[in-house]
Amino acid sequence: MQRERSMDREQQQQAPYTVVQLMAVNPYNPDLLPDLEAYVQEQVMSNTYNLDANLCLLRLYQFEPARMSMQIVARILVKALMAMPAPDFNLCMFLIPEKLQMMEPFITLITLSHYLETARFREFWDEAPRNRAILEVVPGFEKAIQKYAIHVLSLTYQKLPRHVLAEAVNVEGLSLDKFLEAHINEHGWSIEKGHGKGQLIVFPPNEYNHPELKKNTADGIPLEHVARLFPLLT
C-alpha cells in the first residue's frame, strides 16, 4: 500500500504543469508565449474558452511585440465576440496597440463588434460572409452569435414577428422552422398568429421583457466583470 502511494506521488511530481498552472505562477514570463499560443489553438479546436489565459497572452505581447502573431490575436478576438454579452472583446482590445487596431483584420472585427453591441444584426450578417477567412476557422461562431442575438431579443421583446427573428439569427425557410421547433421544445418559446398570415414568436417572461418581475436589487456591474479589469490595471 505504501509502495502504491509512493508511486502515485512520483507520478504527480513527474506530471507536466498545465498552461493555466504555469500562468498562475508567473503570468509575465515570456517563455510562456509558445504554450499560450498553442492553448489558443486548442480552444479553437475543442470549442472551449479561457479569457484569463488569452488576456495573459495579450499582455505578454505588449512586452514582446516582435513575437506577436496577428493570426493568434485575431482568433482571440473572434472567441471574445462569441462570448458576448460579456465584455471580453473590449477587454482584449484594451491590450492591443492602437496602431494595430487601425489594420486588418482588427478593423473588421471592431466593426462586427459594433454591429453586435448595437443590435444591428442584419448588417452583421451581411458583413460576416465577406470575412470567412477570419471567422470560419473558429468552430461554433455562427451558433454563438445566434445565441447572443436571441439573448438581446428576449430581453427586449415579449413577442416579435417571425421575420424579425429570421433576420437576427440569419435563418430562413425550413431551417427556421426547425430552429423554432428546437427552441419551443428546449426553451419554452411559443408561436401566436399575427396579422394576416404572419406569426409572432413569444418569449418566456423575464425581468426585462416583463418589468413587473424585476427583483428589487441594486443595479450594477457584475462582480466577475469588474474583477477582469484588475489585472489590466496592474
Side-chain angles (χ1 to χ4, degrees):
M1 189 68 175
Q2 287 182 336
R3 183 179 179 183
E4 290 179 358
R5 290 178 179 174
S6 177
M7 290 177 63
D8 288 342
R9 282 196 295 269
E10 289 178 2
Q11 289 174 352
Q12 290 174 2
Q13 291 172 354
Q14 294 173 359
Y17 288 105
T18 66
V19 175
V20 175
Q21 289 171 328
L22 291 171
M23 181 184 70
V25 173
N26 188 359
Y28 296 99
N29 181 0
D31 292 339
L32 286 177
L33 273 169
D35 291 325
L36 287 169
E37 289 175 336
Y39 191 38
V40 172
Q41 301 285 46
E42 180 183 327
Q43 292 174 57
V44 169
M45 299 305 297
S46 62
N47 200 16
T48 56
Y49 183 55
N50 189 322
L51 175 63
D52 291 332
N54 296 344
L55 290 175
C56 180
L57 176 56
L58 293 177
R59 282 195 296 271
L60 287 175
Y61 279 151
Q62 289 186 316
F63 298 110
E64 302 280 343
R67 299 174 66 180
M68 177 181 287
S69 166
M70 302 282 275
Q71 182 186 72
I72 292 292
V73 176
R75 292 181 181 182
I76 287 175
L77 291 176
V78 173
K79 295 290 284 186
L81 282 179
M82 293 167 64
M84 291 183 76
D88 299 12
F89 186 86
N90 291 331
L91 292 177
C92 291
M93 290 303 301
F94 187 69
L95 294 171
I96 297 174
E98 186 174 354
K99 64 178 182 180
L100 291 183
Q101 296 183 27
M102 304 304 295
M103 301 169 54
E104 290 292 356
F106 306 121
I107 293 176
T108 293
L109 292 171
I110 291 170
T111 299
L112 293 175
S113 172
H114 179 66
Y115 288 153
L116 293 176
E117 288 177 349
T118 54
R120 293 158 64 183
F121 298 117
R122 180 69 275 153
E123 291 171 85
F124 172 87
W125 293 116
D126 286 343
E127 181 67 24
R130 304 188 188 108
N131 300 278
R132 288 191 176 94
I134 306 172
L135 304 176
E136 289 189 350
V137 294
V138 182
F141 179 77
E142 183 174 350
K143 287 186 177 180
I145 301 306
Q146 289 172 340
K147 182 178 179 180
Y148 169 69
I150 290 169
H151 168 79
V152 172
L153 294 177
S154 66
L155 296 185
T156 309
Y157 300 100
Q158 297 178 4
K159 57 184 72 175
L160 78 165
R162 175 189 170 107
H163 75 271
V164 175
L165 176 70
E167 182 176 277
V169 298
N170 198 40
V171 180
E172 297 179 345
L174 293 177
S175 296
L176 182 58
D177 290 335
K178 293 180 180 179
F179 185 91
L180 288 172
E181 182 180 355
H183 282 77
I184 288 169
N185 294 331
E186 298 173 15
H187 302 289
W189 292 13
S190 59
I191 296 177
E192 293 181 358
K193 288 184 178 180
H195 297 294
K197 297 182 180 180
Q199 291 180 331
L200 292 177
I201 312 303
V202 182
F203 296 116
N206 59 64
E207 61 180 306
Y208 297 98
N209 64 18
H210 284 71
E212 67 274 11
L213 299 178
K214 188 173 180 64
K215 297 178 182 179
N216 187 21
T217 56
D219 292 332
I221 301 174
L223 179 60
E224 63 270 19
H225 291 175
V226 177
R228 300 290 191 190
L229 292 170
F230 293 156
L232 306 183
L233 301 176
T234 58

